[in-house]
Amino acid sequence: MATYTDRELTSVEEERILALRKYGILDTPPDNTCDKLTKLAAKLMKVPVAIISLVDKDRVWFKSSYGLDTQQMERENGLCDTVVFDGDFYQVEDAKQDPRTTGHKLVVGDFGLRFYAAYPLKTKEGFNLGAFCIIDKKPRTLTEEEQEVLRDLRDIAMEQIELKLISKLSIARHNHILNTTAHDLKNPLTTIPVRADLIKIKKHDPDTVDTMCDQIKIASLNMVRIIDELLQSGSMEAGEVKLLLVKLNISYLVSNVVAMNLPLADRKGQTIHFAPQLDVYIKGDEGRLNEVVDNLINNAIKYAPLNTNIYVKVSLVKDYVQIVIEDEGPGLTIEDKKLLFQRFTRLSAQPTANESSTGLGLSIVKVLVEAHGGNIFAESDGKNKGSRFTVQLPV
């Protein structure tokens, strides 16, 4: 049995309780799968009682119990508490003779427990949430084959608990995505009717009308970008990345994307410095690579402060072409680097002019670059020292 000092025990137990609460399984309705597992365990082992228990701070709560009417008991009265801290197969062949249990309330009391065997419900992180146990009122022992069966049933129960957590997190994540997307679409939608009304009022002021029209155009393009990213992400998740490969002058392609983004940079007082190596050719999908470069340059504009520089370079390095987009923005934290290129991920940096973001752009870029047989990586020298994204594509 594992031993801990009082201080270590408190720390370990606090972490274990936090892990248990994360699963959100306490005080939940009966689970048909868990009930079938405890019934199967009792039948296979020929015992009257089988339990899937969860050890809370002050109680042992039964997710499923076969042959027992109660839903929970005080923690000090349960043997499952011992299993949680023992961390391995635990067996009491004759509770009246075993020094670990001779004075236990379940043994000396009316219940008359004589035999107990259990495996802990262990998470992938190594926390024991509770136990899958079987109980008898007469002494006995499990064979190695029976121990293996009990372990397999425990594994199935734990897999069911893990699946419930995954489902819960997936629902929460999708709700967050819906809320975020609705918010990102609402902002430009609110802008459009307001600007339209202002155009009616200011229709005799051409400069103001031009400004309002530009703002409506930007709001519309933001909505189109959000919808495009959501549609693309769905297609990629379904494995629908198709490329139309043709011979491309990548320097020319990047130059065009830079030109398209100049108005956005100008509005923020940013300067894009483009340094191409002329006539670098690759085989690629023109539309997809346009999306890759546009997303990276647009991100640099979006997150870099006003009146800063953005550097775009295209060069031939050995047998691949390298596209580098570097900005003077907030840089990447250690946590940012862990989350980069994951879907629906928001990094620590915030857009510097209230631009919107779905958190999908970089994940789409990674999929498209890798579909071309290339790779992408990001570097940063630290906070407020800018970011550098490098795309490498085979020639």
Side-chain angles (χ1 to χ4, degrees):
M1 178 175 176
T3 58
Y4 304 94
T5 66
D6 289 344
R7 184 174 180 181
E8 288 172 332
L9 190 60
T10 300
S11 175
V12 170
E13 179 61 1
E14 285 176 353
E15 290 183 23
R16 190 193 69 79
I17 292 294
L18 286 174
L20 174 61
R21 299 286 167 80
K22 179 187 74 173
Y23 281 80
I25 195 173
L26 290 168
D27 301 309
T28 53
D31 183 286
N32 189 47
T33 301
C34 289
D35 289 344
K36 285 181 178 179
L37 289 173
T38 51
K39 181 179 180 179
L40 182 60
K43 298 295 183 184
L44 290 173
M45 307 298 177
K46 297 180 174 59
V47 295
V49 178
I51 302 171
I52 295 173
S53 67
L54 298 162
V55 180
D56 199 2
K57 189 174 183 180
D58 300 310
R59 61 174 175 156
V60 178
W61 185 78
F62 302 146
K63 177 59 183 171
S64 176
S65 58
Y66 178 84
L68 201 64
D69 291 333
T70 186
Q71 187 70 54
Q72 64 181 35
M73 63 171 60
E74 291 182 12
R75 182 167 172 176
E76 63 178 357
N77 292 338
L79 287 170
C80 298
D81 181 62
T82 306
V83 178
V84 162
F85 286 101
D86 188 88
D88 203 352
F89 176 66
Y90 185 86
Q91 179 173 246
V92 177
E93 297 177 5
D94 186 346
K96 271 198 168 182
Q97 305 300 322
D98 195 312
R100 298 173 295 178
T101 53
T102 49
H104 198 282
K105 292 180 180 180
L106 293 176
V107 178
V108 300
D110 294 337
F111 186 79
L113 183 146
R114 293 294 177 270
F115 168 79
Y116 178 90
Y119 277 100
L121 297 168
K122 190 183 294 290
T123 70
K124 295 174 182 177
E125 295 79 19
F127 293 109
N128 295 325
L129 305 182
F132 194 127
C133 68
I134 55 173
I135 296 172
D136 204 342
K137 295 187 177 183
K138 59 184 179 182
R140 60 171 294 180
T141 185
L142 293 186
T143 65
E144 288 187 8
E145 184 178 357
E146 287 173 325
Q147 290 179 32
E148 185 178 348
V149 170
L150 182 59
R151 185 174 66 246
D152 288 344
L153 292 172
R154 182 278 311 267
D155 290 345
I156 295 170
M158 196 62 223
E159 286 170 6
Q160 180 72 6
I161 292 171
E162 294 282 4
L163 285 172
K164 291 284 185 182
L165 175 63
I166 291 169
S167 176
K168 175 186 170 185
L169 293 176
S170 178
I171 291 170
R173 182 184 175 202
H174 278 85
N175 286 339
H176 174 72
I177 292 166
L178 287 173
N179 290 335
T180 301
T181 304
H183 179 268
D184 288 344
L185 286 172
K186 184 178 179 180
N187 284 341
L189 277 173
T190 304
T191 297
I192 291 171
V194 171
R195 297 297 183 270
D197 287 340
L198 285 172
I199 288 173
K200 288 181 181 180
I201 296 169
K202 301 286 186 178
K203 58 187 174 183
H204 301 299
D205 183 348
D207 291 339
T208 301
V209 170
D210 285 347
T211 301
M212 296 298 108
C213 288
D214 286 342
Q215 290 171 344
I216 289 174
K217 181 179 179 181
I218 291 169
S220 301
L221 290 173
N222 283 337
M223 287 192 292
V224 170
R225 179 182 289 275
I226 291 169
I227 294 167
D228 280 347
E229 287 182 354
L230 287 169
L231 291 172
Q232 276 213 64
S233 179
S235 297
M236 290 174 182
E237 195 170 9
E240 298 175 357
V241 180
K242 297 179 181 178
L243 302 179
L244 177 62
L245 300 178
V246 296
K247 186 177 180 181
L248 294 173
N249 185 330
I250 196 68
S251 298
Y252 182 72
L253 182 147
V254 174
S255 176
N256 283 341
V257 177
V258 168
M260 286 189 297
N261 280 279
L262 285 176
L264 290 175
D266 288 342
R267 288 189 186 97
K268 298 180 72 171
Q270 297 165 338
T271 304
I272 301 179
H273 305 268
F274 177 46
Q277 183 171 322
L278 297 178
D279 298 328
V280 179
Y281 289 91
I282 66 166
K283 273 195 173 182
D285 185 306
E286 184 174 6
R288 298 296 199 180
L289 290 179
N290 259 305
E291 292 174 34
V292 168
V293 180
D294 182 58
N295 197 296
L296 294 175
I297 294 177
N298 191 269
N299 269 1
I301 295 169
K302 186 183 298 181
Y303 293 101
L306 305 181
N307 306 311
T308 54
N309 296 294
I310 296 167
Y311 301 91
V312 181
K313 301 176 184 177
V314 177
S315 59
L316 189 62
V317 182
K318 295 182 179 178
D319 55 350
Y320 59 85
V321 63
Q322 185 164 278
I323 305 166
V324 179
I325 292 94
E326 186 172 358
D327 62 55
E328 297 175 343
L332 300 169
T333 65
I334 294 173
E335 190 63 27
D336 287 338
K337 291 178 181 178
K338 293 178 184 177
L339 298 173
L340 271 177
F341 308 117
Q342 294 183 22
R343 296 174 71 241
F344 298 105
T345 296
R346 301 292 177 93
L347 304 181
S348 61
Q350 297 296 319
T352 52
N354 297 317
E355 297 99 330
S356 59
S357 171
T358 61
L360 283 168
L362 288 178
S363 66
I364 292 172
V365 165
K366 181 177 173 64
V367 171
L368 294 178
V369 169
E370 291 180 348
H372 281 83
N375 63 80
I376 179 171
F377 56 90
E379 301 166 287
S380 177
D381 295 329
K383 189 175 181 180
N384 297 322
K385 293 187 177 179
S387 303
R388 183 168 52 258
F389 283 82
T390 302
V391 174
Q392 295 176 335
L393 299 166
V395 176

